[in-house]
Amino acid sequence: MKSRTNNPEAMRGRVLDVAAEAFQSRGYHSTSTHDIVREAGITGGALHHHFPTKKSIALAVIRERVAQAVEDAWIDPVQSARTAAEGIQAAFANITNELDERGRVRGCPLNNLALELSAVDPDFQSAVQNVFDGWRAAITEKLRTDKSAGLTAIADPEETATFVVAAYSGAMALAKASQTSAPLKSCARQLATILRATGANASRARKR
Amino acid sequence: MKSRTNNPEAMRGRVLDVAAEAFQSRGYHSTSTHDIVREAGITGGALHHHFPTKKSIALAVIRERVAQAVEDAWIDPVQSARTAAEGIQAAFANITNELDERGRVRGCPLNNLALELSAVDPDFQSAVQNVFDGWRAAITEKLRTDKSAGLTAIADPEETATFVVAAYSGAMALAKASQTSAPLKSCARQLATILRATGANASRARKR
Amino acid sequence: MKSRTNNPEAMRGRVLDVAAEAFQSRGYHSTSTHDIVREAGITGGALHHHFPTKKSIALAVIRERVAQAVEDAWIDPVQSARTAAEGIQAAFANITNELDERGRVRGCPLNNLALELSAVDPDFQSAVQNVFDGWRAAITEKLRTDKSAGLTAIADPEETATFVVAAYSGAMALAKASQTSAPLKSCARQLATILRATGANASRARKR
Amino acid sequence: MKSRTNNPEAMRGRVLDVAAEAFQSRGYHSTSTHDIVREAGITGGALHHHFPTKKSIALAVIRERVAQAVEDAWIDPVQSARTAAEGIQAAFANITNELDERGRVRGCPLNNLALELSAVDPDFQSAVQNVFDGWRAAITEKLRTDKSAGLTAIADPEETATFVVAAYSGAMALAKASQTSAPLKSCARQLATILRATGANASRARKR
DNA sequence: ACATACGGGACAGCCCGTTACT
DNA sequence: AGTAACGGGCTGTCCCGTATGT
């Protein structure tokens, strides 16, 4: 008879950690519930107790782990930066650094799951969309309140935020496909130029 | 015994058509070989004769169908457009129109497979990368040879091309997640502004 | 939903019984896992729970059923017989009788699997060898401790034991090929003569 | 378009060579017709032209290759030897030498197929039995006509021949299971002693 | 709360044969 | 004589979910 440590919170957390990791590395469909059971060192029964279906695991991963990852990697840096442009650059820089250290590009956890699951099920779709919305909202807000030179002139902060998220998402997709951080670096530079240029234009416009 | 007419090309083509459609709509892992057999109206033996493994189907789909789709939707419009900016806008416009007519956003076939398969297998990864490379190369070339006002001043056409591809890819990911064409429209507008702005800057720079 | 009673041991045993029977009658490769599922009256899931692979079934059959059969048919009779020669004759006699009653010669379960699987996989090979070793060891031991007239003079009990096992195995192979018990009877007689002769020789030798 | 060399005899022979080799190494059921096609460098259609079914290949292998192998390894040496005992020892010696050089024990081609196929199909069974019968007949004949000292006294040459074949077959089975030539050497020694002893007994008997 | 046993049904891949075609 | 396309069906494995047991 094996010993057992009743600690539901810890077990739930371990499951989510393992599942988040597996979903990002191998994808949702390529990860079996048995993989999670094995890697988390638990039993099928325990998994079922906390998550009755595989779908419920994925939803929890999106809501509790992926959303957190987006917050850590994007929302916090952007909010705490001096300007929106700096926040965006910081986010890119941090992610690129991590990538170069790791050596392998697993892609953006949100985009990976978004592409794989959005078409599968409306529950997945809306869960994913919520995270995207929070992400865009944070950037939008920063763009709106950014009092740095000229950026106030940005016509549509929401659209710009969408654009930033899209550029990053696509850059990460290219990075994953090429297994290089180069596309991310390129896009970071392009975005930097654009945001500066926009500001410059705007300030120039105002000066006249 | 029924009569039979050998027509390997047609059968192969039908398999690829069905598989390309299924992989885009439901994804690679959510499509079973039996689905393909059923939808293509063939037998398991015939499928195995032409494609011994599911992976070989996906590789052929990427190389022969997805690459073609990218060519039709991006490379041809860009090459035949007057300017790079116009070509890019045309590509966005066509795709967005199709999306709005269809009502459902299935995502970019290349990005869907890229995100799902790049991490799975190096063969997939390089097949996907080849298509991305062709795509970027076409835009790069157009940017380089574009004699329209000021755009010759683009510092790094390759990087700009990467950025365009990334922005589109990410925009389509957002569109899929939100099941709306709005992100695509936003990003198209942003890109238009940027390319125009860049040109404006450049011409301004030259005037001085 | 039907009610269910968990009884893992019984289910495992039923699987092994069915598999042992099928492997002996039709061979390992000619028995499908579905055959086992059907004949044991279980489900695929249950089979997979107890035996994740077909190989694991065969290994269990060898270790838990074939080894037992060898013990019943050879080791026990030899050990409990008065002399080695008598034990060997008893084993032959019992097996031949069973054969004649059954009418059909399915061969020695150990040799059947040995010939079919030894070259396939080292795990099979060593599992089979273990049973052979136990078989030979029992005969060796009996020959060594046999105080009956003259047999103590057997130069190399181990080699003689090997010879007995080989003669039986080959005789059963001939019996299977001819679907007759005749080869077994012939070999039993030959072995009887030899063991007696050896004893006679030995005792004659000692008398001198 | 590939060139083609019409040479039915050669193709048939190549198929049988490849099949014989594969059947001995891996067994009948573990060898697919596609394996044969690939290893023989032919096409499925060509195989089907010469051998309409897999069974027909096996029957031809038994009748044309395995029978020949038994003739080369046993019948010829026994017939051309001075005495039966010497012929048997020569056969054992040759086979054991080959085994030691090869390093891997694949078993007796006849016994391998006999054990795997005798129970499957009566056609296989009788084909195998024919080869066994020829083998035993050759030894029987030699034992009968052997004018060497004492061996004429062998009571039942046919039974003795059966015994020799059985001992060899079983020894090879043990050799395959242990992947050692040791069992063959042991049994050869035992048989040598027996045949000599029998001769000695007989001549002793006659002397009195 | 957790563990083991089990249900059914799919999964990708492969099998042996046959038929159309050169 | 020989080639390539094709037909069905089956293989071992694995899947996710649930029920029973502690």
Side-chain angles (χ1 to χ4, degrees):
Chain A
M1 305 303 152
K2 297 184 186 170
S3 77
R4 205 179 75 190
T5 21
N6 280 11
N7 191 345
E9 304 303 321
M11 176 169 277
R12 206 188 117 92
R14 210 157 66 247
V15 168
L16 290 183
D17 289 343
V18 165
E21 160 66 25
F23 289 166
Q24 188 179 0
S25 308
R26 309 194 292 269
Y28 174 80
H29 285 106
S30 297
T31 303
S32 75
T33 55
H34 183 69
D35 288 343
I36 297 172
V37 161
R38 186 182 345 101
E39 289 168 26
I42 59 170
T43 65
L47 179 64
H48 180 255
H49 180 72
H50 293 284
F51 303 97
T53 66
K54 188 183 179 185
K55 178 176 163 179
S56 71
I57 305 177
L59 285 173
V61 164
I62 293 169
R63 291 199 262 253
E64 300 173 35
R65 288 289 186 279
V66 173
Q68 188 62 45
V70 169
E71 193 148 347
D72 294 345
W74 272 93
I75 299 179
D76 289 348
V78 162
Q79 282 178 343
S80 62
R82 203 171 51 86
T83 68
E86 282 178 16
I88 291 162
Q89 291 303 312
F92 266 96
N94 288 337
I95 289 163
T96 310
N97 285 342
E98 273 186 41
L99 236 63
D100 287 338
E101 281 168 20
R102 184 190 303 273
R104 184 163 156 259
V105 184
R106 299 180 307 172
C108 167
L110 179 57
N111 271 281
N112 285 358
L113 289 176
L115 271 286
E116 190 177 359
L117 300 179
S118 283
V120 169
D121 188 295
D123 293 334
F124 284 135
Q125 193 233 316
S126 76
V128 163
Q129 199 178 350
N130 284 341
V131 185
F132 270 124
D133 285 348
W135 184 1
R136 286 196 304 195
I139 299 176
T140 303
E141 183 60 17
K142 190 69 183 183
L143 284 168
R144 216 191 299 276
T145 60
D146 185 344
K147 296 302 172 201
S148 67
L151 266 174
T152 46
I154 282 182
D156 189 337
E158 192 145 354
E159 198 165 283
T160 305
T162 297
F163 185 65
V164 169
V165 169
Y168 167 75
S169 297
M172 185 58 104
L174 287 170
K176 191 178 178 186
S178 66
Q179 287 294 310
T180 321
S181 62
L184 282 166
K185 288 170 182 163
S186 295
C187 289
R189 272 194 297 269
Q190 292 286 115
L191 276 178
T193 311
I194 289 158
L195 292 175
R196 246 185 287 123
T198 316
N201 279 345
S203 60
R204 200 166 26 244
R206 256 177 295 141
K207 281 180 188 170
R208 291 179 202 165
Chain B
M1 301 300 149
K2 300 178 185 174
S3 85
R4 201 183 75 201
T5 330
N6 285 0
N7 193 349
E9 264 94 39
M11 176 169 273
R12 207 187 115 94
R14 211 157 66 247
V15 169
L16 290 183
D17 288 343
V18 166
E21 159 66 25
F23 290 166
Q24 189 180 0
S25 314
R26 311 195 290 271
Y28 174 80
H29 286 105
S30 297
T31 302
S32 75
T33 54
H34 183 67
D35 288 343
I36 296 172
V37 162
R38 187 182 347 99
E39 290 169 27
I42 59 172
T43 63
L47 180 63
H48 185 256
H49 176 71
H50 293 284
F51 302 98
T53 64
K54 189 182 179 186
K55 176 177 165 179
S56 71
I57 304 178
L59 285 173
V61 164
I62 294 169
R63 291 199 261 252
E64 299 172 34
R65 288 291 187 277
V66 172
Q68 189 61 46
V70 170
E71 192 149 348
D72 293 345
W74 272 93
I75 298 178
D76 288 348
V78 162
Q79 282 178 344
S80 62
R82 205 173 50 86
T83 68
E86 282 179 17
I88 291 162
Q89 291 302 313
F92 266 96
N94 289 337
I95 289 163
T96 311
N97 285 343
E98 273 186 43
L99 236 63
D100 288 337
E101 283 170 19
R102 184 189 304 271
R104 183 162 157 261
V105 183
R106 300 180 307 170
C108 166
L110 180 57
N111 271 282
N112 285 0
L113 290 177
L115 269 287
E116 192 176 357
L117 300 179
S118 282
V120 169
D121 189 294
D123 293 334
F124 283 136
Q125 191 235 318
S126 77
V128 164
Q129 196 178 352
N130 284 341
V131 185
F132 270 124
D133 284 348
W135 185 1
R136 287 195 304 195
I139 300 178
T140 303
E141 184 61 17
K142 191 69 182 185
L143 284 169
R144 216 190 299 275
T145 60
D146 186 341
K147 296 304 171 199
S148 70
L151 265 174
T152 45
I154 281 184
D156 190 338
E158 193 146 351
E159 198 165 281
T160 305
T162 298
F163 185 65
V164 169
V165 170
Y168 167 75
S169 297
M172 185 57 102
L174 287 169
K176 190 177 178 186
S178 67
Q179 286 294 313
T180 321
S181 62
L184 282 166
K185 289 171 182 158
S186 296
C187 289
R189 271 194 299 272
Q190 291 286 115
L191 276 177
T193 313
I194 289 158
L195 293 175
R196 246 184 287 120
T198 315
N201 277 345
S203 58
R204 201 167 25 246
R206 255 176 296 139
K207 279 181 189 171
R208 293 182 197 159
Chain C
M1 299 299 150
K2 300 177 185 175
S3 86
R4 202 183 75 199
T5 330
N6 285 0
N7 192 348
E9 266 92 39
M11 177 169 272
R12 207 187 115 94
R14 211 157 64 247
V15 168
L16 290 184
D17 288 343
V18 165
E21 159 66 25
F23 289 167
Q24 189 180 0
S25 313
R26 311 194 291 270
Y28 175 80
H29 286 105
S30 297
T31 303
S32 75
T33 54
H34 182 67
D35 289 342
I36 296 172
V37 162
R38 187 183 344 100
E39 289 168 27
I42 60 172
T43 63
L47 180 63
H48 185 256
H49 176 70
H50 292 285
F51 302 98
T53 64
K54 189 183 180 186
K55 176 177 165 179
S56 72
I57 305 178
L59 286 174
V61 164
I62 293 170
R63 292 200 262 251
E64 299 173 35
R65 288 292 186 279
V66 172
Q68 188 61 46
V70 169
E71 192 148 347
D72 293 345
W74 272 92
I75 298 179
D76 288 348
V78 163
Q79 281 178 345
S80 62
R82 202 172 52 87
T83 68
E86 282 179 16
I88 291 162
Q89 291 303 312
F92 265 96
N94 289 336
I95 290 163
T96 311
N97 285 342
E98 274 187 40
L99 236 65
D100 288 337
E101 282 169 20
R102 182 189 305 272
R104 183 163 156 260
V105 183
R106 299 182 307 171
C108 165
L110 179 56
N111 272 281
N112 284 359
L113 290 177
L115 270 287
E116 192 177 357
L117 300 179
S118 283
V120 168
D121 189 293
D123 293 334
F124 283 136
Q125 190 234 318
S126 77
V128 163
Q129 197 178 351
N130 284 340
V131 185
F132 270 124
D133 285 347
W135 184 0
R136 287 194 304 194
I139 298 177
T140 303
E141 183 61 17
K142 191 67 182 184
L143 284 169
R144 216 191 299 275
T145 59
D146 186 341
K147 296 303 171 199
S148 69
L151 266 175
T152 46
I154 281 184
D156 190 338
E158 194 146 351
E159 198 164 283
T160 305
T162 297
F163 184 66
V164 169
V165 170
Y168 167 75
S169 297
M172 185 57 103
L174 287 169
K176 190 177 179 187
S178 66
Q179 286 295 312
T180 320
S181 62
L184 282 166
K185 288 170 182 161
S186 296
C187 288
R189 271 195 297 272
Q190 290 288 113
L191 277 177
T193 311
I194 289 159
L195 292 175
R196 245 184 287 123
T198 314
N201 277 345
S203 59
R204 201 169 22 248
R206 255 177 295 141
K207 279 180 188 171
R208 292 182 198 163
Chain D
M1 309 306 149
K2 296 183 186 169
S3 76
R4 205 179 73 191
T5 20
N6 280 11
N7 191 344
E9 303 303 321
M11 177 171 276
R12 207 188 115 94
R14 209 157 66 247
V15 168
L16 290 183
D17 288 343
V18 165
E21 160 67 26
F23 290 166
Q24 188 179 359
S25 308
R26 311 194 291 270
Y28 175 80
H29 285 105
S30 297
T31 302
S32 74
T33 54
H34 183 68
D35 288 342
I36 297 172
V37 160
R38 186 182 345 100
E39 290 168 27
I42 58 171
T43 65
L47 180 64
H48 181 256
H49 181 73
H50 293 283
F51 303 98
T53 66
K54 188 183 180 186
K55 178 177 163 179
S56 70
I57 305 176
L59 286 173
V61 164
I62 293 169
R63 290 200 262 254
E64 300 173 33
R65 288 289 187 278
V66 172
Q68 187 62 46
V70 169
E71 192 149 346
D72 293 344
W74 273 93
I75 298 179
D76 289 348
V78 162
Q79 282 178 344
S80 63
R82 205 173 50 87
T83 69
E86 282 178 16
I88 291 162
Q89 290 303 312
F92 266 96
N94 288 337
I95 290 163
T96 310
N97 284 343
E98 273 186 41
L99 237 64
D100 288 337
E101 281 168 21
R102 184 191 303 273
R104 185 163 156 258
V105 183
R106 300 181 307 173
C108 165
L110 179 57
N111 272 280
N112 285 359
L113 290 177
L115 271 285
E116 190 177 359
L117 300 179
S118 284
V120 168
D121 189 295
D123 293 334
F124 283 135
Q125 191 233 317
S126 77
V128 163
Q129 197 178 350
N130 283 341
V131 186
F132 270 124
D133 285 348
W135 184 2
R136 286 196 304 196
I139 299 178
T140 303
E141 183 60 18
K142 190 70 183 184
L143 283 168
R144 215 189 299 276
T145 59
D146 186 342
K147 296 304 173 197
S148 69
L151 267 174
T152 46
I154 282 183
D156 190 337
E158 193 146 352
E159 198 165 280
T160 305
T162 297
F163 185 64
V164 169
V165 170
Y168 167 75
S169 297
M172 186 57 103
L174 287 170
K176 191 177 178 186
S178 65
Q179 287 293 311
T180 321
S181 61
L184 282 167
K185 288 170 183 163
S186 296
C187 289
R189 272 194 298 270
Q190 291 287 113
L191 277 178
T193 310
I194 289 158
L195 292 175
R196 245 185 287 123
T198 315
N201 279 344
S203 61
R204 202 164 25 243
R206 254 177 297 141
K207 279 182 188 171
R208 292 179 199 164

